[in-house]
Amino acid sequence: MTRILIADDEEAPREQLLAALRLAWPSAQVVATAVNGVDAWDAFLEHEPEVCFLDIRMPGLSGIDVARRIGQQAQVVFVTAYDDHALSAFDAGAVDYLLKPVETERLAQTVQRLQARLTPSASAGLPDMQTLLRQLTEQSRRAPPLAVLQAAVGREVRMIRTDEVVYFESDSRYTRVVHGNANAGADALIRTPLKELLAQLDEQLFWQVHRSVIVNHRHIAAAVRVDEGHMHLTLRGRPETLPVSRHFQALFKGQ
Amino acid sequence: MRSPRIEWHQLWYPGRRTPFTADEMARAGSNAPGPTMVVAVLSNVLMLGALAMQLAPRGQAWQVALSMSLMAVAGGLAARWLWWQPWRRPLMQVSIGIVVLLLVLAFFIRWQVPNRDDRQGLALVVGGGCAMLPLLMWFLVIWRAQQIEGRLRELAEREQAIEMARRLTAAQLEPHFLFNTLASLQHWVQTKDDRAAPLLSALTGYLRATLPMFKRPLLALADELLAVERYLQVMQARMGSRLTWHIHLDPALHTLQLPPGVLLTLVENAVMHGLEPQLAGGELHIRGTRQAQQALIEVSDNGAGPPAELHEGVGLSNIRQRLQLTCGPTAALELGAAPGGGFRAQLLLPFNSATP
């Protein structure tokens, strides 16, 4: 059974797509719905859907940002209310897109295309979606990355420069921030959930390696493959290791 | 296109046919002659005077000097007079004046210089000077009229550009807004959701208020506010609990006239760039207060606040232009961070509480 993720920040279009999918693709199962880009990415990591329907304009991360993170790990269909100039990039047929409100007949075509791609033999000749996504990302202006974090430790609010952070780890409703060097290392808790933090960090510096771990790549010493499907990272001058989940193992493939 | 033809009347009655109106002169011809021009003209007059003194017959220096000074003063006065009315009727009057002056001088010479041969040399110098005067006046009037016409044309083009921008704003109904709203509406109609009817009526109200709005040069704040409220109702229906808004407006400001769409654009910007990108949404405040001679209208949100470099789009530069044009140079739009975080736009408008 095909597993589907739907992400849209507005309720009506989300439900409308859900209803249309039930008609056009009864055999598929919507495993998660997300109300913004940050939730969408988190839900993707949690549920590992094969198909994602993403609204382009969403708070946190845009649909395009989420698609770029998903990469080749799932089929992405963009959903938008208005045929932007951005969508012309998809005319090549690399990824499909739908206009809101989604019409069942049009959706049926998309479903056919998706089913063809989901059969193992078809996936070989896929056009390079990453190039398209890079073009789209360049078009959308983004806020500059977060420079400093404020962590309440006892009575003081500690200012932590993000470039001094070694890694972030999700800790139930909080995020643990491990920063500084081995001698003067420290950790602090901040209230921002990891998934929200991700959208605000410098992508060049911070790599998500697990649903609950984002690491500053300058502090990675090595990626160690434990067995088929399991990998962990060792850090410079630190004893602890960090897990790398399957989705992110492609980051460490050697050259 | 008409082929250029010779305007014969320019030969015997030169200059611009229709006078500039007082309004046209005020807009494009209010500049006094520049100091460079005054100095250039004076030095030329001095040089001509010196030349005339050289050419003057012996023993008649004072007559030449007197005639020349008289012509210079008359010419200067006439030029100043024509500067403020550079068209053909005053030019003709000045020309007639110069002819009269020439006749006066001729009698003066005849009375002063009994010798016929001496008279001829003197008449040549004085007559030559007098003949140059109308030519100079003619140049002045033509040049000045062209200067004013050029400036008027430039002003008209600029106003046309602003008018175009105004029309464009009218056509600038955000397609994302419209289609997203229609998408929600269609779903709620299909599923017989109770939210469909209020959303449709808010959208209708918004369109009814905004589409004819831009045809008018000015709009009362109360009318503009109607459009703003409809817009917010539509966004509220779509964003649900992610959007809350508050409006506090001094009732005296209801009649305040401002260019249409200004407040709406600020509110749309706050929702689109300030609140929609926030995961949890946020609050929007519209406040209107009155000070002595000023009205302050403030739109603030508690979103992400201004970006490092604020990039002003077409909408905002359009607002500034229209404010200057309709509310005068004291009207201002200030953009920046709100005190409690988020973004704040402040409109400062001249407001006379005595004559609403």
Side-chain angles (χ1 to χ4, degrees):
Chain A
M1 197 195 294
T2 312
R3 298 152 57 77
I4 297 178
L5 164 72
I6 292 177
D8 195 313
D9 57 329
E10 288 184 37
E11 182 197 328
R14 209 163 51 228
E15 308 225 305
Q16 198 262 332
L17 179 59
L18 201 63
L21 270 173
R22 272 193 211 114
L23 290 174
W25 203 353
S27 67
Q29 186 196 0
V30 175
V31 291
T33 54
V35 298
N36 56 54
V38 167
D39 277 349
W41 174 235
D42 194 56
F44 172 79
L45 293 178
E46 189 182 347
H47 298 281
E48 306 185 353
E50 284 118 16
V51 176
C52 302
F53 288 85
L54 305 174
D55 180 19
I56 291 185
R57 284 194 175 188
M58 282 190 292
L61 295 167
S62 74
I64 290 159
D65 292 331
V66 177
R68 203 158 45 89
R69 288 191 159 82
I70 291 173
Q72 307 281 17
Q73 302 176 74
Q75 303 291 330
V76 170
V77 178
F78 286 114
V79 189
T80 184
Y82 177 64
D83 195 347
D84 263 317
H85 59 281
L87 288 175
S88 59
F90 298 101
D91 285 346
V95 215
D96 206 355
Y97 73 90
L98 294 166
L99 287 177
K100 292 186 235 179
V102 178
E103 287 168 16
T104 319
E105 298 87 59
R106 177 68 183 76
L107 182 60
Q109 288 176 19
T110 307
V111 169
Q112 266 183 358
R113 215 175 289 180
L114 284 167
Q115 281 169 332
R117 285 204 180 160
L118 286 167
T119 51
S121 60
S123 57
L126 280 179
D128 185 15
M129 182 165 139
Q130 293 304 313
T131 321
L132 281 173
L133 289 171
R134 218 170 297 131
Q135 287 169 2
L136 283 172
T137 314
E138 279 162 16
Q139 288 174 12
S140 62
R141 283 186 302 125
R142 295 198 52 183
L146 203 62
V148 74
L149 295 159
Q150 300 195 5
V153 179
R155 286 186 165 200
E156 60 179 23
V157 173
R158 216 174 275 169
M159 307 294 278
I160 304 169
R161 284 173 46 145
T162 43
D163 54 4
E164 286 173 356
V165 171
V166 182
Y167 63 92
F168 296 96
E169 191 176 25
S170 184
D171 188 347
S172 64
R173 279 167 44 231
Y174 298 92
T175 298
R176 195 159 74 91
V177 185
V178 179
H179 60 105
N181 53 37
N183 305 322
D187 52 344
L189 284 181
I190 56 173
R191 274 176 207 280
T192 316
L194 189 81
K195 58 180 185 178
E196 287 178 23
L197 203 57
L198 182 64
Q200 303 170 43
L201 293 173
D202 182 0
E203 288 179 79
Q204 303 299 316
L205 195 57
F206 289 98
W207 296 358
Q208 186 173 27
V209 294
H210 190 273
R211 192 174 161 230
S212 56
V213 180
I214 300 173
V215 63
N216 182 337
H217 74 82
R218 288 194 199 141
H219 292 272
I220 301 173
V224 184
R225 188 170 288 283
V226 183
D227 57 56
E228 199 60 42
H230 286 87
M231 189 188 260
H232 64 242
L233 299 179
T234 58
L235 300 172
R236 295 178 198 279
R238 284 182 173 277
E240 66 261 50
T241 60
L242 301 174
V244 182
S245 70
R246 196 168 51 79
H247 293 290
F248 302 102
Q249 287 177 8
L251 282 171
F252 309 98
K253 48 183 180 269
Q255 279 173 330
Chain B
M1 179 115 185
R2 224 172 42 172
S3 64
R5 56 193 179 84
I6 301 170
E7 296 180 35
W8 293 105
H9 63 84
Q10 284 292 323
L11 294 185
W12 54 269
Y13 196 1
R16 189 184 145 91
R17 192 196 285 251
T18 46
F20 290 109
T21 63
D23 176 53
E24 281 171 334
M25 286 303 288
R27 282 197 303 154
S30 60
N31 58 322
T36 316
M37 182 186 260
V38 171
V39 168
V41 167
L42 281 181
S43 59
N44 273 303
V45 165
L46 282 178
M47 260 158 61
L48 282 173
L51 193 69
M53 293 303 285
Q54 290 296 314
L55 292 175
R58 285 182 185 286
Q60 291 163 2
W62 76 268
Q63 285 97 334
V64 171
L66 185 70
S67 308
M68 284 292 145
S69 316
L70 205 61
M71 279 191 286
V73 170
L77 288 174
R80 208 178 68 171
W81 190 60
L82 285 176
W83 180 268
W84 299 110
Q85 32 197 345
W87 47 88
R88 67 183 189 175
R89 201 183 152 87
L91 178 62
M92 183 57 90
Q93 289 164 351
V94 165
S95 303
I96 291 169
I98 290 168
V99 170
V100 170
L101 182 69
L102 186 63
L103 290 175
V104 167
L105 285 175
F107 279 113
F108 170 71
I109 289 166
R110 187 171 169 82
W111 167 62
Q112 273 288 319
V113 186
N115 185 322
R116 193 184 157 86
D117 286 344
D118 289 347
R119 224 155 49 201
Q120 263 181 354
L122 191 60
L124 208 67
V125 174
V126 173
C130 263
M132 263 174 69
L133 267 183
L135 204 65
L136 288 173
M137 296 302 141
W138 177 71
F139 268 126
L140 171 74
V141 164
I142 299 283
W143 173 80
R144 172 84 172 139
Q146 280 191 349
Q147 182 198 31
I148 294 174
E149 281 165 5
R151 206 170 293 168
L152 280 172
R153 204 161 34 236
E154 196 181 305
L155 282 174
E157 275 164 15
R158 196 181 307 165
E159 271 159 35
Q160 205 179 357
I162 293 174
E163 174 65 17
M164 281 261 291
R166 199 162 71 88
R167 296 252 164 98
L168 268 177
T169 321
Q172 228 177 33
L173 186 65
E174 236 309 274
H176 274 281
F177 166 76
L178 190 61
F179 286 110
N180 267 309
T181 307
L182 289 174
S184 290
L185 200 54
Q186 183 172 343
H187 176 64
W188 286 339
V189 167
Q190 272 170 349
T191 55
K192 298 189 167 55
D193 193 300
D194 283 345
R195 283 171 288 186
L199 178 57
L200 183 56
S201 89
L203 179 66
T204 310
Y206 171 81
L207 293 175
R208 206 193 297 287
T210 48
L211 292 185
M213 174 155 133
F214 293 94
K215 291 197 186 120
R216 297 155 63 172
L218 283 170
L219 195 70
L221 185 56
D223 293 335
E224 171 99 11
L225 211 57
L226 274 181
V228 167
E229 280 172 334
R230 296 290 175 273
Y231 170 77
L232 287 170
Q233 283 163 3
V234 170
M235 290 313 291
Q236 167 90 86
R238 286 172 40 198
M239 292 173 68
S241 59
R242 289 179 60 227
L243 173 67
T244 46
W245 84 85
H246 309 276
I247 299 177
H248 298 289
L249 193 68
D250 185 330
L253 295 182
H254 280 169
T255 52
L256 180 70
Q257 301 286 312
L258 69 173
V262 166
L263 186 61
L264 184 64
T265 307
L266 295 179
V267 169
E268 283 175 343
N269 278 350
V271 172
M272 213 161 26
H273 304 300
L275 300 178
E276 264 192 299
Q278 295 302 108
L279 289 180
E283 278 182 27
L284 178 88
H285 283 274
I286 301 170
R287 283 185 206 91
T289 50
R290 186 170 42 136
Q291 284 137 19
Q293 293 293 315
Q294 245 182 356
L296 170 67
I297 302 168
E298 199 176 273
V299 177
S300 58
D301 62 60
N302 61 351
E309 330 170 24
L310 188 60
H311 177 81
E312 287 199 13
V314 189
L316 288 177
S317 59
N318 199 339
I319 287 185
R320 283 190 205 281
Q321 271 184 333
R322 286 163 54 205
L323 278 177
Q324 300 284 316
L325 205 68
T326 53
C327 301
T330 54
L333 171 66
E334 283 166 21
L335 305 171
F343 192 85
R344 180 173 70 175
Q346 288 180 308
L347 268 176
L348 285 157
L349 301 167
F351 179 66
N352 192 346
S353 48
T355 53

